[in-house]
């Protein structure tokens, strides 16, 4: 079995018209909160960032790219207490939509 690539894309929540917080501020806070995923053990490498070409991103404005040693490592990470806590407390409150895509590299 080969390494597993794990990609997640998020559409970040925008501020309510009832708040005085700017869109830029809300997005910056959301990105900072989601970046807590970098502290969760499991992936061999992880990178987060915005799309390079907005026109092709279909509204997704923040993404994660990570590599795991195996499918088993990804499965273990997905249900780990640390990952579930960050997703529950930092990710979900800040996103309107999410898409995850995984595949195994040929070795």
């Amino acid at each position: 079995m080969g390494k597993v690539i794990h990609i997640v894309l998020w559409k970040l929540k925008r501020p309510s018209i009832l708040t005085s917080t700017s869109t830029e501020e809300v997005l910056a806070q959301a990105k900072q909160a989601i970046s807590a995923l970098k502290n969760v053990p499991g992936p061999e490498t992880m990178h987060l960032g915005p799309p390079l070409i907005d026109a092709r991103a279909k509204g997704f404005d923040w993404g994660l790219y990570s590599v795991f040693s195996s499918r088993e490592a990804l499965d273990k990470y997905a249900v780990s207490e640390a990952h579930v806590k960050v997703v529950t407390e930092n990710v979900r409150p800040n996103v309107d939509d999410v898409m995850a895509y995984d595949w195994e590299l040929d070795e």
Side-chain angles (χ1 to χ4, degrees), residues 8-12 14 31 49-63 95-100:
V8 182
L9 302 175
W10 295 285
K11 291 182 181 178
L12 302 178
R14 299 313 196 251
K31 291 171 184 178
L52 181 62
I53 304 169
D54 285 335
R56 294 178 8 183
K58 298 195 178 225
F60 289 96
D61 41 20
W62 196 242
V95 302
D96 281 330
D97 197 8
V98 62
M99 179 175 64

Side-chain angles (χ1 to χ4, degrees), residues 19-37:
T19 184
S20 62
T21 309
S22 71
T23 299
E24 294 78 22
E25 232 181 305
V26 169
L27 294 179
Q29 291 169 357
K31 291 171 184 178
Q32 182 65 37
I34 292 169
S35 292
L37 285 168

Side-chain angles (χ1 to χ4, degrees), residues 24-97:
E24 294 78 22
E25 232 181 305
V26 169
L27 294 179
Q29 291 169 357
K31 291 171 184 178
Q32 182 65 37
I34 292 169
S35 292
L37 285 168
K38 285 187 158 191
N39 299 320
V40 177
E44 292 181 353
T45 187
M46 179 181 288
H47 303 278
L48 292 135
L52 181 62
I53 304 169
D54 285 335
R56 294 178 8 183
K58 298 195 178 225
F60 289 96
D61 41 20
W62 196 242
L64 173 148
Y65 167 87
S66 56
V67 178
F68 289 83
S69 61
S70 65
R71 166 72 189 265
E72 292 77 21
L74 173 61
D75 290 344
K76 184 177 176 183
Y77 167 82
V79 298
S80 72
E81 184 178 333
H83 179 256
V84 170
K85 180 178 172 55
V86 171
V87 168
T88 302
E89 296 177 6
N90 295 56
V91 177
R92 286 187 187 145
N94 289 293
V95 302
D96 281 330
D97 197 8

Side-chain angles (χ1 to χ4, degrees), residues 2-7 65-68 70-71 74 100-106:
K3 294 184 185 252
V4 173
I5 305 300
H6 174 61
I7 294 177
Y65 167 87
S66 56
V67 178
F68 289 83
S70 65
R71 166 72 189 265
L74 173 61
Y101 192 93
D102 310 297
W103 76 91
E104 188 174 19
L105 297 176
D106 294 331

